[in-house]
Amino acid sequence: MSSAAEQEAVQDPEREAVQDPGAVAAVRAEIVEVQRIEYAEAVRAAAPAPAVWPGAPMPLGARFRVGPDGVAGTNFALWAGGAEAVELCLFDERGVETRCPLTELTHEIWHGFVPGVRPGQRYGYRVHGRWDPWTGARWNAAKLLLDPYARAVDGTFSLPPEVYGHVRDWPDQHVADTVRDDRDSAPYVPKGVVVHDDDDWVEDRRPKTPWADSVIYELHVRGFTERHPDIPPELRGTYAGLAHPAAIEHLTRLGVTAVELLPVHQFAHEDHLLRRGLHNHWGYNSIGYFAPHADYSASGTAGQQVGEFKRMVRALHDAGIEVILDVVYNHTAEAGERGPMLSLRGIDNRGYYRLEGDPRRYADYTGCGNTLHVVQPQVLRLITDSLRYWVTEMGVDGFRFDLAAALARSMHDVDMLSPFLAVIAQDPVLRRVKLIAEPWDVGNGGYQVGAFPPLWTEWNDRYRDAVRDFWRGALPDVRDLGYRLTGSSDLYAWGGRRPYASVNFVTAHDGFTLRDLVSYEQKHNEANGEGNRDGTNDNRAWNCGVEGESDDPEINRLRRRQLRNLLTTLLLSTGVPMLVAGDEMGRTQGGNNNAYCQDNETGWVDWSLLDQPEWRELTALTARVLTLRRTHPVLRRRAFFSGRAQAPDGLRDLAWFARDGREMTEGDWYAPAATLGLYLSGRDIPGRDARGEPVTDDSFLAVLHAGAEPVAFTLPGAPWADAYELVLDTSREDQAEAPGTVLDGGTEVTVPARSVLLLRVAE
């Protein structure tokens, strides 16, 4: 850690602006020199380096075990293909470093067994080699590097100049990345921790929820638990907090089947955020693919975070809830050529990253400065080893891959036969877990919605856009909406894929919350410190006539109705619905649609909303619709609709109706419309149950009306139904008043403005 004086002089941008830059540099140089002298004296007083036995090249990382002659110790193994030498660096409780050369080299893996090194030992590496950025070589042994396979990380990244492999403050910034910085980074960077855990998960029972029955709830470990009043203060913001009965009770009461955790791999904060006094809240800046992020641990960071994470997974499994991790294997926290040297860049820059024709520069398909070179065998092994570790040893049930198209690129183009996708498809562990692609990146040809192969599901942004546009009155016709409500067969009905290939969502962590979607039309990201330039401008939002929060009761009633419409539409659609934590209780971010750096009330769930009756009703509606979905297989189909009857005397499995009660014609799909009737036949569900029996269910009629005025709608009569029972009416604040009303088929009913009616066919 840097001293208080250095933090004040260098990291406070307002003070830096008024101080003499030369004086700041002088202070920094004086501090560094004092630290260097103190460190050198400590090293001289340290114990001599321990013996290093040959050890083994596999497995990679640091593994505590019993070695030759029954001697306990730790085997260290690091892939560093082009390196000239590797030093293992051990740190005692005072931070004093002991360097141990690894002299054994097998298949580009440097390895050694160190007797007596036990769990809790902090360590890192120094890797020697050429410094020639013009050819992509960036070895710098002055920089302590994090083991890519470290199971736990202790410490935080503060990113002072000493952490950079080049001289960050070089006067000519055009070539600054080519000038090597020889200052020691060890005092400023976290260390890996040797972890030993023989937990074999014998008592764990994975829920193994089928895809068609899944309901995903996207949440942030800290954001979900930080303000929960029933979680003890010392557990808030942690894995233990998410494992607390109060947190789990909310999830089970809603009826979700899986939590999708925003990144929990160890990550670092970007320098531009630290300079503004902010932090990376979301965590899409990974640096340790095996280590649970230490800041989310209530029990300690010397390896305790591993056990705490496992206990969280067990608690969720015991409640029938799967754990899916949002993972970021497309880039790392080392950014572009001007970024810090934390791990992979100093181990083998050319071996881990995609470089441009000019090897000084990084190919950037991610918008984050670099892209991992997944075509390289060692990179592919790093990713797949990490994935298998989280499944087999940490107990998780699946993964959502951030910017997955970047992983599917071969040399340049996205390739659905790429090594990454091929390895996943044949891996006996990974092909059995849930795999979700964010099917795009920021490079040319990166938009790949509908293109990922079988086994994969995808975030379907076309669903998001169509549903948002319908409810704000911006769809030119209802053709696209029809596909989105019924599983997006136009995108996924190929290669044996099923409707659950589509992960349907209206909101995600990235963008407006659901409440903000009906309260703001413009982003309000000023708190991010980027002049409101960050975040998308394509929000497809409608503020109901007033920008931001309003005291007008009519505006607020309309907004709550729109929330009910959006949630009900999402949860009744065919495919896998994904909710975002807090949307079910009206969480707001004040119009910030890119709250990635808001580790505060803006980015946290406000549980006090449940003290307000109107938001409790929204939560109750969400749970009620999820109960309907869970109990009615017609609402969670395993096969696409055919539009045909399954039996000679049956009805078509899907039918569409216009306002006058007649079936829609081709011309109706191309005409402007604000009203759509959707009939789902429960008598004609394809497939059989586990005993080979036909699956039957009730039939339902859903009427979606986005118009500003009530509309007359004729309920389809025979053979579709003689009568209907009203199940849901989103125009009502209190759904307890809606069910039970019986309406005859063939009669004209009034559909309230901007509402969804769900009716069950009465026997």
Side-chain angles (χ1 to χ4, degrees):
M1 296 291 293
S2 56
S3 69
E6 186 181 16
Q7 292 277 358
E8 185 178 4
V10 177
Q11 294 191 354
D12 184 344
E14 293 184 0
R15 178 163 181 172
E16 186 175 6
V18 299
Q19 281 193 336
D20 177 10
V24 173
V27 170
R28 178 184 295 157
E30 181 180 351
I31 292 169
V32 169
E33 179 61 16
V34 170
Q35 290 173 332
R36 186 191 67 77
I37 294 171
E38 292 176 347
Y39 181 75
E41 292 175 349
V43 169
R44 283 194 293 272
V52 180
W53 299 351
M58 297 296 290
L60 292 168
R63 289 296 187 95
F64 175 73
R65 62 180 176 83
V66 176
D69 301 323
V71 176
T74 299
N75 192 85
F76 295 89
L78 176 74
W79 182 91
E84 296 172 359
V86 172
E87 292 177 301
L88 168 68
C89 305
L90 305 176
F91 293 84
D92 66 15
E93 63 279 358
R94 300 170 297 164
V96 175
E97 176 182 356
T98 300
R99 300 185 186 183
C100 309
L102 297 181
T103 59
E104 298 294 324
L105 179 62
T106 305
H107 303 310
E108 300 185 320
I109 297 171
W110 300 79
H111 55 92
F113 178 85
V114 185
V117 169
R118 307 188 68 83
Q121 173 68 58
R122 298 160 69 240
Y123 73 100
Y125 290 105
R126 297 183 187 274
V127 181
H128 298 256
R130 291 186 305 110
W131 175 266
D132 185 12
W134 303 97
T135 63
R138 292 182 179 271
W139 285 283
N140 185 345
K143 309 305 170 182
L144 186 77
L145 306 174
L146 184 67
D147 180 4
Y149 280 73
R151 303 295 180 92
V153 176
D154 181 50
T156 58
F157 293 96
S158 59
L159 301 187
E162 291 78 10
V163 173
Y164 291 73
H166 64 282
V167 180
R168 190 179 68 174
D169 301 325
W170 191 254
D172 185 354
Q173 284 291 298
H174 179 68
V175 294
D177 69 287
T178 68
V179 182
R180 190 175 69 186
D181 187 313
D182 291 326
R183 291 174 289 184
D184 186 12
S185 69
Y188 310 100
V189 294
K191 281 73 177 176
V193 181
V194 176
V195 175
H196 176 57
D197 192 348
D198 56 3
D199 194 331
D200 59 7
W201 290 92
V202 169
E203 298 179 2
D204 184 59
R205 297 291 182 269
R206 294 177 185 262
K208 297 182 179 178
T209 307
W211 259 126
D213 300 338
S214 296
V215 178
I216 296 172
Y217 189 81
E218 186 192 49
L219 67 81
H220 187 285
V221 170
R222 189 196 302 283
F224 186 71
T225 60
E226 188 67 37
R227 300 181 68 182
H228 199 300
D230 297 327
I231 296 175
E234 66 274 13
L235 300 184
R236 294 174 190 170
T238 69
Y239 306 118
L242 183 53
H244 191 273
I248 292 178
E249 191 272 336
H250 181 77
L251 301 172
T252 56
R253 185 171 70 247
L254 278 181
V256 301
T257 69
V259 291
E260 182 176 301
L261 306 183
L262 267 66
V264 295
H265 289 166
Q266 184 70 39
F267 61 86
H269 305 292
E270 295 91 332
D271 179 70
H272 69 90
L273 292 178
L274 295 175
R275 285 178 173 270
R276 295 200 295 269
L278 299 170
H279 296 87
N280 189 316
H281 176 51
W282 288 349
Y284 291 90
N285 206 36
S286 300
I287 197 62
Y289 291 131
F290 290 78
H293 189 62
D295 285 348
Y296 301 157
S297 174
S299 53
T301 60
Q304 298 95 331
Q305 59 265 52
V306 177
E308 184 176 328
F309 183 92
K310 288 185 174 184
R311 290 189 293 275
M312 176 198 73
V313 172
R314 269 206 188 88
L316 289 163
H317 283 180
D318 288 345
I321 298 171
E322 295 184 305
V323 178
I324 297 171
L325 301 188
D326 195 336
V327 290
V328 189
Y329 295 112
N330 53 77
H331 75 280
T332 75
E334 293 184 303
E337 59 269 13
R338 296 185 182 182
M341 181 173 285
L342 307 174
S343 182
L344 304 183
R345 173 175 284 139
I347 294 171
D348 191 332
N349 185 56
R350 294 177 297 189
Y352 277 109
Y353 291 116
R354 290 180 180 267
L355 304 181
E356 295 281 13
D358 174 2
R360 272 182 64 194
R361 313 299 183 192
Y362 292 79
D364 184 7
Y365 297 113
T366 66
C368 299
N370 64 56
T371 307
L372 281 178
H373 202 350
V374 181
V375 174
Q376 297 280 17
Q378 65 276 4
V379 181
L380 190 57
R381 177 167 60 182
L382 171 67
I383 295 172
T384 53
D385 283 353
S386 168
L387 292 169
R388 282 189 293 268
Y389 169 73
W390 287 97
V391 174
T392 60
E393 298 193 40
M394 301 295 274
V396 306
D397 305 285
F399 305 93
R400 179 264 188 187
F401 292 81
D402 179 67
L403 300 181
L407 298 172
R409 289 183 181 270
S410 290
M411 295 312 295
H412 298 288
D413 296 333
V414 178
D415 179 6
M416 292 305 160
L417 298 176
S418 67
F420 172 74
L421 295 178
V423 166
I424 296 293
Q426 60 79 43
D427 189 282
V429 172
L430 302 180
R431 69 189 182 199
R432 296 177 182 271
V433 303
K434 287 182 165 65
L435 303 171
I436 306 171
E438 183 183 34
W440 51 77
D441 64 20
V442 302
N444 290 333
Y447 187 76
Q448 295 290 324
V449 172
F452 274 72
L455 293 184
W456 288 81
T457 64
E458 301 175 18
W459 270 24
N460 187 352
D461 66 332
R462 290 184 60 179
Y463 178 94
R464 174 200 65 197
D465 294 349
V467 170
R468 287 187 180 191
D469 282 347
F470 176 74
W471 285 112
R472 70 188 181 106
L475 274 185
D477 53 52
V478 290
R479 285 176 296 159
D480 199 40
L481 182 66
Y483 277 119
R484 304 308 146 231
L485 297 177
T486 55
S488 296
S489 60
D490 58 330
L491 299 175
Y492 302 112
W494 63 273
R497 303 184 83 181
R498 299 296 186 95
Y500 45 77
S502 176
V503 174
N504 299 330
F505 65 102
V506 177
T507 59
H509 66 274
D510 190 359
F512 281 149
T513 67
L514 201 66
R515 179 173 168 182
D516 288 354
L517 190 67
V518 301
S519 304
Y520 298 87
E521 291 184 6
Q522 306 299 322
K523 63 188 180 182
H524 297 269
N525 299 353
E526 289 80 7
N528 296 353
E530 299 177 38
N532 206 35
R533 295 184 300 274
D534 61 305
T536 182
N537 294 315
D538 182 19
N539 294 296
R540 300 173 188 253
W542 179 50
N543 62 19
C544 298
V546 175
E547 184 72 359
E549 294 298 314
S550 172
D551 295 328
D552 187 328
E554 289 302 316
I555 292 289
N556 289 327
R557 274 193 286 271
L558 175 57
R559 287 174 174 177
R560 291 194 298 271
R561 181 181 295 196
Q562 287 291 81
L563 292 181
R564 294 193 293 273
N565 291 334
L566 290 162
L567 280 170
T568 301
T569 303
L570 171 65
L571 299 179
L572 293 180
S573 297
T574 302
V576 179
M578 184 184 78
L579 293 164
V580 177
D583 275 354
E584 76 281 4
M585 63 180 84
R587 185 175 80 90
T588 176
Q589 294 179 167
N592 191 320
N593 75 350
N594 188 35
Y596 78 105
C597 56
Q598 297 300 317
D599 189 8
N600 49 43
E601 287 81 0
T602 298
W604 302 338
V605 172
D606 180 5
W607 293 91
S608 70
L609 291 167
L610 292 179
D611 296 332
Q612 303 174 38
E614 63 269 28
W615 300 122
R616 283 201 307 272
E617 289 295 339
L618 185 65
T619 305
L621 171 70
T622 305
R624 184 155 181 255
V625 182
L626 282 175
T627 298
L628 278 170
R629 184 182 182 91
R630 183 169 59 254
T631 54
H632 290 286
V634 73
L635 300 178
R636 44 187 174 80
R637 288 173 56 98
R638 287 164 166 75
F640 287 106
F641 293 97
S642 67
R644 300 186 298 272
Q646 299 297 312
D649 60 344
L651 297 173
R652 290 194 302 282
D653 57 2
L654 172 68
W656 301 94
F657 291 91
R659 289 166 42 186
D660 57 6
R662 62 179 175 79
E663 289 191 66
M664 291 176 63
T665 64
E666 175 121 4
D668 291 324
W669 289 106
Y670 288 84
T675 311
L676 186 64
L678 167 61
Y679 185 98
L680 304 174
S681 174
R683 291 187 290 166
D684 297 272
I685 301 175
R688 296 179 294 172
D689 65 16
R691 296 179 178 272
E693 298 296 326
V695 177
T696 59
D697 192 14
D698 295 330
S699 298
F700 288 89
L701 174 69
V703 182
L704 288 74
H705 175 52
E709 300 296 332
V711 68
F713 189 95
T714 301
L715 301 177
W720 305 101
D722 294 325
Y724 298 87
E725 177 190 2
L726 184 62
V727 178
L728 289 174
D729 177 357
T730 62
S731 70
R732 301 173 182 267
E733 291 267 8
D734 184 355
Q735 290 300 307
E737 301 176 12
T741 304
V742 176
L743 304 165
D744 291 334
T747 61
E748 186 178 271
V749 299
T750 299
V751 181
R754 296 191 175 98
S755 65
V756 177
L757 300 184
L758 180 66
L759 305 105
R760 179 168 31 222
V761 173
E763 295 297 335

Short mmCIF file of all heavy atoms in Angstrom, two decimals, residues 373-400:
data_model
loop_
_atom_site.label_atom_id
_atom_site.label_comp_id
_atom_site.label_asym_id
_atom_site.label_seq_id
_atom_site.Cartn_x
_atom_site.Cartn_y
_atom_site.Cartn_z
N HIS A 373 -6.65 -14.29 -26.02
CA HIS A 373 -6.43 -15.02 -27.27
C HIS A 373 -6.86 -16.47 -27.07
O HIS A 373 -6.03 -17.36 -26.87
CB HIS A 373 -4.96 -14.92 -27.67
CG HIS A 373 -4.71 -15.16 -29.12
ND1 HIS A 373 -5.68 -15.63 -29.99
CD2 HIS A 373 -3.60 -14.97 -29.89
CE1 HIS A 373 -5.17 -15.73 -31.20
NE2 HIS A 373 -3.92 -15.33 -31.17
N VAL A 374 -8.16 -16.70 -27.16
CA VAL A 374 -8.72 -18.00 -26.79
C VAL A 374 -8.28 -19.11 -27.74
O VAL A 374 -8.36 -20.29 -27.39
CB VAL A 374 -10.26 -17.90 -26.71
CG1 VAL A 374 -10.89 -19.21 -26.30
CG2 VAL A 374 -10.65 -16.81 -25.72
N VAL A 375 -7.81 -18.76 -28.92
CA VAL A 375 -7.33 -19.79 -29.85
C VAL A 375 -6.07 -20.46 -29.31
O VAL A 375 -5.79 -21.63 -29.62
CB VAL A 375 -7.08 -19.17 -31.24
CG1 VAL A 375 -6.44 -20.17 -32.19
CG2 VAL A 375 -8.41 -18.69 -31.83
N GLN A 376 -5.29 -19.76 -28.49
CA GLN A 376 -4.06 -20.32 -27.94
C GLN A 376 -4.38 -21.43 -26.93
O GLN A 376 -5.25 -21.26 -26.07
CB GLN A 376 -3.25 -19.23 -27.23
CG GLN A 376 -2.78 -18.11 -28.13
CD GLN A 376 -1.53 -18.49 -28.92
OE1 GLN A 376 -1.20 -19.66 -29.04
NE2 GLN A 376 -0.85 -17.50 -29.46
N PRO A 377 -3.72 -22.58 -27.02
CA PRO A 377 -4.05 -23.71 -26.13
C PRO A 377 -3.97 -23.36 -24.65
O PRO A 377 -4.81 -23.79 -23.87
CB PRO A 377 -3.01 -24.77 -26.52
CG PRO A 377 -2.61 -24.44 -27.91
CD PRO A 377 -2.68 -22.94 -28.01
N GLN A 378 -2.95 -22.58 -24.25
CA GLN A 378 -2.81 -22.29 -22.82
C GLN A 378 -3.92 -21.38 -22.31
O GLN A 378 -4.33 -21.47 -21.15
CB GLN A 378 -1.44 -21.65 -22.54
CG GLN A 378 -1.20 -20.30 -23.16
CD GLN A 378 -0.72 -20.39 -24.60
OE1 GLN A 378 -0.63 -21.50 -25.16
NE2 GLN A 378 -0.38 -19.26 -25.19
N VAL A 379 -4.44 -20.51 -23.19
CA VAL A 379 -5.55 -19.65 -22.79
C VAL A 379 -6.84 -20.47 -22.70
O VAL A 379 -7.62 -20.32 -21.76
CB VAL A 379 -5.71 -18.48 -23.77
CG1 VAL A 379 -6.85 -17.57 -23.34
CG2 VAL A 379 -4.41 -17.69 -23.88
N LEU A 380 -7.04 -21.31 -23.67
CA LEU A 380 -8.21 -22.18 -23.65
C LEU A 380 -8.18 -23.08 -22.41
O LEU A 380 -9.21 -23.31 -21.77
CB LEU A 380 -8.24 -23.02 -24.92
CG LEU A 380 -9.50 -23.82 -25.21
CD1 LEU A 380 -10.72 -22.92 -25.26
CD2 LEU A 380 -9.35 -24.59 -26.52
N ARG A 381 -7.00 -23.56 -22.04
CA ARG A 381 -6.89 -24.40 -20.86
C ARG A 381 -7.19 -23.59 -19.59
O ARG A 381 -7.87 -24.08 -18.68
CB ARG A 381 -5.49 -25.01 -20.76
CG ARG A 381 -5.30 -25.84 -19.49
CD ARG A 381 -4.05 -26.69 -19.56
NE ARG A 381 -2.85 -25.90 -19.71
CZ ARG A 381 -1.63 -26.42 -19.83
NH1 ARG A 381 -1.46 -27.74 -19.83
NH2 ARG A 381 -0.58 -25.64 -19.96
N LEU A 382 -6.69 -22.36 -19.53
CA LEU A 382 -6.98 -21.51 -18.38
C LEU A 382 -8.48 -21.36 -18.19
O LEU A 382 -9.01 -21.50 -17.07
CB LEU A 382 -6.33 -20.14 -18.56
CG LEU A 382 -6.71 -19.05 -17.54
CD1 LEU A 382 -6.17 -19.40 -16.17
CD2 LEU A 382 -6.19 -17.69 -18.01
N ILE A 383 -9.20 -21.07 -19.26
CA ILE A 383 -10.64 -20.85 -19.17
C ILE A 383 -11.37 -22.13 -18.79
O ILE A 383 -12.22 -22.13 -17.88
CB ILE A 383 -11.17 -20.27 -20.50
CG1 ILE A 383 -10.58 -18.88 -20.74
CG2 ILE A 383 -12.69 -20.22 -20.49
CD1 ILE A 383 -10.89 -18.32 -22.12
N THR A 384 -11.08 -23.21 -19.47
CA THR A 384 -11.82 -24.45 -19.19
C THR A 384 -11.44 -25.03 -17.82
O THR A 384 -12.31 -25.59 -17.14
CB THR A 384 -11.58 -25.49 -20.29
OG1 THR A 384 -10.17 -25.68 -20.50
CG2 THR A 384 -12.21 -25.03 -21.60
N ASP A 385 -10.19 -24.89 -17.41
CA ASP A 385 -9.82 -25.31 -16.05
C ASP A 385 -10.60 -24.51 -15.02
O ASP A 385 -11.07 -25.04 -14.01
CB ASP A 385 -8.32 -25.12 -15.82
CG ASP A 385 -7.47 -26.20 -16.47
OD1 ASP A 385 -8.03 -27.17 -17.00
OD2 ASP A 385 -6.23 -26.05 -16.44
N SER A 386 -10.73 -23.20 -15.27
CA SER A 386 -11.48 -22.36 -14.35
C SER A 386 -12.95 -22.79 -14.30
O SER A 386 -13.53 -22.94 -13.21
CB SER A 386 -11.38 -20.89 -14.79
OG SER A 386 -12.29 -20.07 -14.10
N LEU A 387 -13.56 -22.99 -15.44
CA LEU A 387 -14.96 -23.40 -15.48
C LEU A 387 -15.18 -24.71 -14.74
O LEU A 387 -16.12 -24.84 -13.93
CB LEU A 387 -15.43 -23.52 -16.93
CG LEU A 387 -15.53 -22.22 -17.73
CD1 LEU A 387 -15.74 -22.53 -19.21
CD2 LEU A 387 -16.65 -21.34 -17.21
N ARG A 388 -14.33 -25.69 -15.00
CA ARG A 388 -14.48 -26.98 -14.33
C ARG A 388 -14.29 -26.85 -12.82
O ARG A 388 -14.97 -27.51 -12.03
CB ARG A 388 -13.50 -28.00 -14.91
CG ARG A 388 -13.94 -28.58 -16.25
CD ARG A 388 -13.05 -29.74 -16.66
NE ARG A 388 -11.70 -29.30 -16.96
CZ ARG A 388 -11.26 -28.95 -18.16
NH1 ARG A 388 -12.09 -28.99 -19.20
NH2 ARG A 388 -10.02 -28.55 -18.35
N TYR A 389 -13.36 -25.99 -12.41
CA TYR A 389 -13.13 -25.79 -10.98
C TYR A 389 -14.38 -25.26 -10.30
O TYR A 389 -14.77 -25.75 -9.23
CB TYR A 389 -11.97 -24.80 -10.80
CG TYR A 389 -11.79 -24.32 -9.38
CD1 TYR A 389 -11.27 -25.16 -8.41
CD2 TYR A 389 -12.16 -23.03 -9.01
CE1 TYR A 389 -11.10 -24.72 -7.09
CE2 TYR A 389 -12.00 -22.58 -7.70
CZ TYR A 389 -11.47 -23.42 -6.75
OH TYR A 389 -11.32 -22.99 -5.46
N TRP A 390 -15.03 -24.27 -10.90
CA TRP A 390 -16.21 -23.69 -10.27
C TRP A 390 -17.37 -24.68 -10.23
O TRP A 390 -18.21 -24.62 -9.32
CB TRP A 390 -16.61 -22.41 -10.99
CG TRP A 390 -15.68 -21.28 -10.69
CD1 TRP A 390 -14.62 -20.86 -11.45
CD2 TRP A 390 -15.68 -20.44 -9.52
NE1 TRP A 390 -13.97 -19.82 -10.83
CE2 TRP A 390 -14.60 -19.53 -9.65
CE3 TRP A 390 -16.49 -20.36 -8.40
CZ2 TRP A 390 -14.32 -18.57 -8.69
CZ3 TRP A 390 -16.22 -19.40 -7.44
CH2 TRP A 390 -15.15 -18.52 -7.58
N VAL A 391 -17.41 -25.61 -11.18
CA VAL A 391 -18.47 -26.62 -11.17
C VAL A 391 -18.16 -27.72 -10.17
O VAL A 391 -18.97 -28.05 -9.29
CB VAL A 391 -18.67 -27.23 -12.57
CG1 VAL A 391 -19.66 -28.39 -12.52
CG2 VAL A 391 -19.15 -26.17 -13.55
N THR A 392 -16.96 -28.30 -10.28
CA THR A 392 -16.66 -29.51 -9.50
C THR A 392 -16.26 -29.23 -8.07
O THR A 392 -16.56 -30.01 -7.17
CB THR A 392 -15.55 -30.32 -10.19
OG1 THR A 392 -14.36 -29.51 -10.28
CG2 THR A 392 -15.96 -30.75 -11.59
N GLU A 393 -15.58 -28.10 -7.82
CA GLU A 393 -15.08 -27.83 -6.48
C GLU A 393 -15.82 -26.71 -5.76
O GLU A 393 -15.80 -26.65 -4.52
CB GLU A 393 -13.58 -27.51 -6.53
CG GLU A 393 -12.76 -28.68 -7.07
CD GLU A 393 -11.28 -28.52 -6.84
OE1 GLU A 393 -10.89 -28.05 -5.74
OE2 GLU A 393 -10.49 -28.83 -7.75
N MET A 394 -16.48 -25.83 -6.52
CA MET A 394 -17.22 -24.74 -5.88
C MET A 394 -18.73 -24.92 -5.97
O MET A 394 -19.48 -24.18 -5.36
CB MET A 394 -16.82 -23.40 -6.48
CG MET A 394 -15.32 -23.10 -6.35
SD MET A 394 -14.80 -22.90 -4.64
CE MET A 394 -15.15 -21.17 -4.38
N GLY A 395 -19.18 -25.90 -6.76
CA GLY A 395 -20.57 -26.30 -6.74
C GLY A 395 -21.53 -25.53 -7.61
O GLY A 395 -22.75 -25.72 -7.50
N VAL A 396 -21.05 -24.64 -8.49
CA VAL A 396 -21.99 -23.83 -9.27
C VAL A 396 -22.64 -24.67 -10.37
O VAL A 396 -22.15 -25.73 -10.75
CB VAL A 396 -21.32 -22.57 -9.86
CG1 VAL A 396 -20.63 -21.77 -8.77
CG2 VAL A 396 -20.34 -22.93 -10.95
N ASP A 397 -23.74 -24.14 -10.90
CA ASP A 397 -24.60 -24.91 -11.80
C ASP A 397 -24.58 -24.41 -13.24
O ASP A 397 -25.23 -25.03 -14.10
CB ASP A 397 -26.03 -24.86 -11.28
CG ASP A 397 -26.13 -25.34 -9.84
OD1 ASP A 397 -26.04 -26.55 -9.62
OD2 ASP A 397 -26.26 -24.48 -8.94
N GLY A 398 -23.90 -23.33 -13.51
CA GLY A 398 -23.87 -22.83 -14.87
C GLY A 398 -23.19 -21.49 -14.95
O GLY A 398 -22.74 -20.91 -13.94
N PHE A 399 -23.13 -20.96 -16.18
CA PHE A 399 -22.38 -19.73 -16.44
C PHE A 399 -23.11 -18.89 -17.48
O PHE A 399 -23.69 -19.42 -18.43
CB PHE A 399 -20.97 -20.04 -16.96
CG PHE A 399 -20.19 -20.95 -16.06
CD1 PHE A 399 -20.20 -22.32 -16.27
CD2 PHE A 399 -19.47 -20.45 -14.99
CE1 PHE A 399 -19.48 -23.17 -15.43
CE2 PHE A 399 -18.76 -21.29 -14.15
CZ PHE A 399 -18.76 -22.65 -14.37
N ARG A 400 -23.04 -17.59 -17.30
CA ARG A 400 -23.45 -16.64 -18.32
C ARG A 400 -22.16 -15.96 -18.80
O ARG A 400 -21.43 -15.36 -18.01
CB ARG A 400 -24.44 -15.61 -17.75
CG ARG A 400 -24.89 -14.55 -18.77
CD ARG A 400 -24.06 -13.29 -18.63
NE ARG A 400 -24.55 -12.20 -19.44
CZ ARG A 400 -23.91 -11.04 -19.59
NH1 ARG A 400 -22.76 -10.82 -18.98
NH2 ARG A 400 -24.41 -10.10 -20.34
#
